[in-house]
Amino acid sequence: MSEAVITLQDIKKSYGKHRVLLGVDMQINRGDIYGLIGKNGCGKTTIFKIILGLSDYQSGRLTIGKEGTPLSEGRRKIGFFIGGNFFGYMSARENLEYYSALKKIKDKTEVERVLKIVEMDKAKGTYGEYSMGMKQRLGIANAILGNPEILILDEPVNGLDPQGIVDVRNLMQRLNTEYGMTIIVSSHILSELQHTAHRFGIVNNGVIAKVVTQEELAATKQIVKISVNDLENAVKALGEAGVTILGQSDDTASLEDYYFDLIKGDA
Amino acid sequence: MLWYMRADLRRISRRIPRLIVLALLYIALVTVLVSISREDVQIAPLMILCEHYVVGFLPLVIGTIEMAVILGDDFRAKIMQQAIGMGISRTKIVLTKLIDLACLMLVDIVVFGVLVFAANGVFHLGMGVDTVRELLLWLVGAWVKSVAYGSLSLILGFYSQNALFAILAFIALSSGIANKMLGMALGVKALSALHLGRFLLTSEINTFFTRALLGHFDIASLIVILVYIVGGAAAASWLFKNTELEL
């Protein structure tokens, strides 16, 4: 059985009269890349804030690590990226040195190590002068500083160009496979998340409406690739045989289609 | 908390614009002190001039700068959110900021004191042993004022998650505006009989150090001052705990 590293049980949260989370149940297992998806304002960031202790919740139960571990202790195992929390007048290295001190990291080479991982070790200038892609990568570098067991990434590919998106995707996969990090990631770019995550939690109407694995997602449509010498006649023959062609040129089921099918009527 | 404080102090102490502004202020304050003491030393004792024109301004001019560097960058970049996510409690964050202020002001005031004594040697300002003792006491007074005003200002800063409110509150307190306004409010007929004016922070600090100059230790005033400092930090921490953090 998979070992749970983060468990949310019936978490409820309101901002005044606005109820955001109506009872979220979620389990993240060791080694997971868990994709959290949902429309804007559905509560994805609130879930992250609750896990990180940045936001309180009205009821429910949150466990980080083993049962009974104090939350403050559990949170020390988490590295996170929830936005560019850096000093604009400092360089990448200086910012990470600051956070390294906050995380009580004694190893002087750690900052250099993470800068190399995100390919920012040769970055010049201050944070305020960096491009969006550099800022995102520095955010991830900060998240992995100290080699945390769990990584929380909120919209890490926001504002990135296609190459930047691919770089972040490859980085996440490397961190998961090479460094054994458990990753929870949210993104609006579903097609991108589909390539990265093992499981997807779909947040809708204040709850995790569905959790689906890569395999389950792939099994929702049967897709067979056939090569024909006459496409027109092949399509005609299929039609005559009573076969409906649902789409063309997809080689895997799309997370985007699955998501929109699920929330149909709620949007 | 110690690590957070060390990281913060290291960051602030390397802030070049801060160092330049502080250096300019030191030069200005020592210049004022030297020119006043040379011209008016016959009219009023040096220490009265020093207290009114120089040491009295330390919390306002230097304290405001320190408040700005301690809270400004932090709130702007939302560094505290990262610290909380790393497992540092909100109470520790508030305390760290207050201790940051206490440490920086201590260093600033010690540097200022050294400069004044150096100026005394170079320009022959005529400071005797008593004068030095008085100056030291007023410097300690300036430090206590800075810490106490800082503690009260943190309430607004952490409640609003905005450094500007904390800085404005600090200016209102250290410039005496808040003290005068509260004094007037407490002077109205209905309240004047209660003599609450003497419990105002600035009044208590002035009472404590004036009596200390005369060789008395006013424990009651000291307790009230400590209540203000601890109470300010506790209120800021409580409000911060109950505030939804912006991302």
Side-chain angles (χ1 to χ4, degrees):
Chain A
M1 199 177 136
S2 308
E3 182 197 347
V5 289
I6 297 179
T7 312
L8 283 84
Q9 290 167 287
D10 199 23
I11 296 281
K12 292 185 177 121
K13 166 79 185 172
S14 304
Y15 293 109
K17 284 183 182 168
H18 179 51
R19 294 162 73 201
V20 181
L21 303 180
L22 307 177
V24 166
D25 291 295
M26 187 169 134
Q27 182 177 314
I28 312 295
N29 299 325
R30 187 172 298 283
D32 257 355
I33 299 184
Y34 189 99
L36 202 58
I37 57 178
K39 57 190 172 190
N40 270 343
C42 71
K44 298 187 302 285
T45 303
T46 303
I47 292 174
F48 286 160
K49 282 169 76 178
I50 287 171
I51 295 172
L52 296 169
L54 299 174
S55 192
D56 242 335
Y57 48 97
Q58 276 82 37
S59 65
R61 196 148 176 266
L62 167 68
T63 312
I64 303 173
K66 287 193 180 115
E67 192 73 35
T69 308
L71 284 176
S72 58
E73 197 181 301
R75 284 182 180 124
R76 288 196 194 106
K77 295 175 183 161
I78 302 177
F80 62 97
F81 168 70
I82 50 167
N85 305 123
F86 295 104
F87 295 107
Y89 63 91
M90 285 186 184
S91 67
R93 190 166 279 100
E94 287 167 338
N95 267 300
L96 291 187
E97 277 167 1
Y98 176 83
Y99 281 124
S100 162
L102 247 67
K103 289 182 181 176
K104 304 181 187 176
I105 297 167
K106 289 176 184 163
D107 183 359
K108 300 277 181 202
T109 62
E110 178 61 5
V111 168
E112 205 54 40
R113 183 186 75 87
V114 295
L115 281 172
K116 272 189 184 145
I117 291 176
V118 299
E119 294 168 6
M120 286 278 289
D121 51 321
K122 291 184 178 70
K124 298 265 186 297
T126 59
Y127 178 76
E129 299 162 356
Y130 292 161
S131 68
M132 179 62 91
M134 290 168 87
K135 285 178 177 174
Q136 300 286 91
R137 277 189 283 152
L138 183 61
I140 296 172
N142 182 35
I144 62 175
L145 197 63
N147 221 1
E149 289 176 27
I150 307 160
L151 206 55
I152 290 180
L153 306 172
D154 190 16
E155 307 281 355
V157 295
N158 243 9
L160 293 185
D161 57 21
Q163 185 56 50
I165 292 175
V166 173
D167 288 347
V168 171
R169 181 211 302 167
N170 292 340
L171 180 61
M172 277 195 277
Q173 281 164 344
R174 257 182 73 201
L175 293 171
N176 180 252
T177 51
E178 285 179 32
Y179 296 86
M181 287 183 191
T182 303
I183 301 174
I184 316 170
V185 56
S186 76
S187 178
H188 284 118
I189 307 171
L190 301 186
S191 54
E192 175 47 40
L193 210 56
Q194 188 181 348
H195 288 110
T196 322
H198 306 146
R199 289 198 298 149
F200 311 95
I202 299 171
V203 188
N204 194 38
N205 290 333
V207 294
I208 302 279
K210 182 87 178 168
V211 178
V212 60
T213 63
Q214 276 278 11
E215 293 75 24
E216 286 165 348
L217 182 69
T220 55
K221 275 186 195 172
Q222 193 176 10
I223 295 161
V224 180
K225 271 190 177 176
I226 50 169
S227 300
V228 291
N229 57 0
D230 184 348
L231 181 63
E232 202 178 316
N233 276 325
V235 171
K236 202 172 155 191
L238 285 170
E240 281 166 5
V243 177
T244 310
I245 298 171
L246 297 169
Q248 270 180 264
S249 71
D250 271 4
D251 58 354
T252 55
S254 142
L255 177 61
E256 215 161 66
D257 292 341
Y258 186 87
Y259 171 71
F260 286 117
D261 280 347
L262 189 86
I263 65 156
K264 204 159 35 189
D266 293 325
Chain B
M1 193 171 108
L2 198 65
W3 289 75
Y4 184 24
M5 215 170 69
R6 268 167 48 185
D8 239 10
L9 290 175
R10 203 165 151 222
R11 168 184 72 83
I12 294 165
S13 60
R14 289 173 173 185
R15 193 91 162 94
I16 303 293
R18 166 185 172 266
L19 295 175
I20 293 170
V21 173
L22 282 182
L24 291 173
L25 276 171
Y26 285 140
I27 293 167
L29 287 172
V30 173
T31 308
V32 169
L33 177 70
V34 170
S35 56
I36 287 173
S37 60
R38 284 187 146 185
E39 288 171 14
D40 299 339
V41 77
Q42 300 303 318
I43 306 163
L46 176 64
M47 273 344 294
I48 293 176
L49 292 168
C50 189
E51 181 215 328
H52 282 283
Y53 292 100
V54 182
V55 181
F57 282 110
L58 286 178
L60 176 62
V61 290
I62 294 181
T64 304
I65 291 166
E66 300 298 21
M67 283 292 285
V69 289
I70 291 168
L71 297 178
D73 295 327
D74 222 316
F75 276 118
R76 198 178 310 122
K78 299 186 170 72
I79 302 296
M80 291 165 198
Q81 277 81 331
Q82 285 279 335
I84 293 167
M86 288 170 190
I88 300 171
S89 76
R90 298 190 192 201
T91 302
K92 282 181 180 171
I93 288 176
V94 172
L95 285 178
T96 300
K97 296 299 167 192
L98 184 61
I99 297 171
D100 279 354
L101 178 69
C103 292
L104 292 173
M105 284 307 292
L106 184 66
V107 172
D108 295 341
I109 286 172
V110 166
V111 170
F112 178 74
V114 169
L115 286 175
V116 170
F117 293 130
N120 179 46
V122 174
F123 298 105
H124 307 293
L125 303 182
M127 287 185 190
V129 177
D130 286 347
T131 316
V132 169
R133 192 176 68 92
E134 285 181 26
L135 178 63
L136 285 175
L137 257 177
W138 284 117
L139 286 173
V140 175
W143 180 74
V144 172
K145 276 183 184 172
S146 307
V147 175
Y149 296 154
S151 178
L152 294 178
S153 308
L154 290 181
I155 299 174
L156 268 183
F158 278 99
Y159 175 65
S160 61
Q161 291 182 60
N162 189 334
L164 184 65
F165 290 107
I167 294 165
L168 289 176
F170 189 86
I171 291 172
L173 287 163
S174 55
S175 64
I177 294 171
N179 192 53
K180 284 194 180 81
M181 286 171 70
L182 284 169
M184 275 159 55
L186 295 174
V188 296
K189 238 180 190 177
L191 296 172
S192 60
L194 298 170
H195 302 293
L196 294 172
R198 74 166 294 262
F199 293 110
L200 289 176
L201 177 59
T202 306
S203 313
E204 287 292 350
I205 295 175
N206 288 338
T207 304
F208 179 82
F209 284 96
T210 307
R211 287 182 61 77
L213 275 175
L214 300 169
H216 302 292
F217 183 74
D218 191 341
I219 184 81
S221 290
L222 183 67
I223 289 170
V224 176
I225 295 165
L226 288 174
V227 166
Y228 269 107
I229 296 173
V230 175
S237 168
W238 185 80
L239 286 168
F240 192 38
K241 268 186 194 167
N242 293 290
T243 304
E244 191 67 39
L245 287 180
E246 295 160 9
L247 287 183

